[in-house]
Amino acid sequence: MSQSLSSFADLLRAVEHTAVHLELRDTYDMGNETAGFDAWKQGHRLDPSDRASWWRPWLDLVQEVTAKGVLIRRARVISEPPSEYIRYEHSFTFTNVAAGEEVRWLPRGSASDIVLPDHDFWLFDGRLVQFNIFDDAGRWIRTDQTEDSTAATRCATAFEDVWERAIPHEKYSI
């Protein structure tokens, strides 16, 4: 995923109340994360007590935004058994939580009756939707943004339906 952090950071910094992120894929192209994924496959795990070694730009941004009272929630709909990428992602999600995000996981089988969009999205303050468009291999193609109230309402509903059933990160083990 190569949307620039600065442009996304501007969007997130403009949020006044809530930012929610729904992730629907079991794999994403690793791009510049390949070295971390390879190290993880060799047994390396992030040390929760060595905060300085974590990926700082995202965590700093989350801390900045949540410190001003913005609630950031992330829900991931995943297949079980989880893909290798999801297991990797789960292993470092504690960093998102430590930075101030709330994260939950929902097994795909528990989402069968939830109407979900075709694409991952961020919903900012319940009004601006940013869809993240990926190809079949999980490579980020582009983002599409809309302030259409119908799209925002549908995304909010999908997110809340997932969130209600999803398992908090601290209770979901892989």
Side-chain angles (χ1 to χ4, degrees):
M1 293 193 272
S2 61
Q3 176 183 14
S4 83
L5 183 59
S6 61
S7 63
F8 184 81
D10 293 341
L11 280 173
L12 197 55
R13 284 185 178 113
V15 172
E16 295 178 2
H17 305 288
T18 62
V20 300
H21 187 195
L22 184 62
E23 296 179 6
L24 303 167
R25 299 184 54 83
D26 286 322
T27 188
Y28 295 87
D29 181 76
M30 298 305 297
N32 61 357
E33 295 178 39
T34 303
F37 186 54
D38 291 342
W40 177 84
K41 289 193 287 187
Q42 297 299 317
H44 173 73
R45 298 298 182 265
L46 295 180
D47 179 356
S49 66
D50 184 11
R51 194 173 180 101
S53 69
W54 303 346
W55 178 42
R56 298 304 302 160
W58 173 250
L59 298 176
D60 287 341
L61 178 60
V62 169
Q63 286 176 335
E64 173 189 337
V65 172
T66 57
K68 68 177 193 174
V70 172
L71 176 63
I72 300 177
R73 296 184 296 160
R74 179 187 306 259
R76 294 177 171 139
V77 178
I78 62 165
S79 296
E80 287 189 321
S83 68
E84 187 173 44
Y85 179 86
I86 292 298
R87 291 193 326 261
Y88 164 66
E89 192 173 55
H90 185 272
S91 77
F92 65 79
T93 296
F94 74 89
T95 67
N96 299 71
V97 174
E101 281 188 65
E102 294 182 29
V103 181
R104 292 187 182 182
W105 304 82
L106 183 64
R108 198 170 305 283
S110 297
S112 297
D113 62 337
I114 298 175
V115 178
L116 297 171
D118 290 335
H119 305 288
D120 292 8
F121 67 82
W122 279 91
L123 177 61
F124 304 103
D125 284 330
R127 62 169 187 76
L128 173 64
V129 182
Q130 177 173 295
F131 291 103
N132 295 312
I133 314 301
F134 298 91
D135 68 13
D136 290 341
R139 291 181 298 258
W140 180 80
I141 298 172
R142 70 180 188 282
T143 57
D144 291 337
Q145 293 181 351
T146 182
E147 291 189 73
D148 176 75
S149 62
T150 300
T153 298
R154 287 180 179 162
C155 287
T157 299
F159 183 87
E160 293 303 331
D161 288 348
V162 167
W163 189 258
E164 181 179 302
R165 294 182 191 178
I167 303 161
H169 176 70
E170 300 78 14
K171 295 180 179 179
Y172 186 74
S173 57
I174 290 182

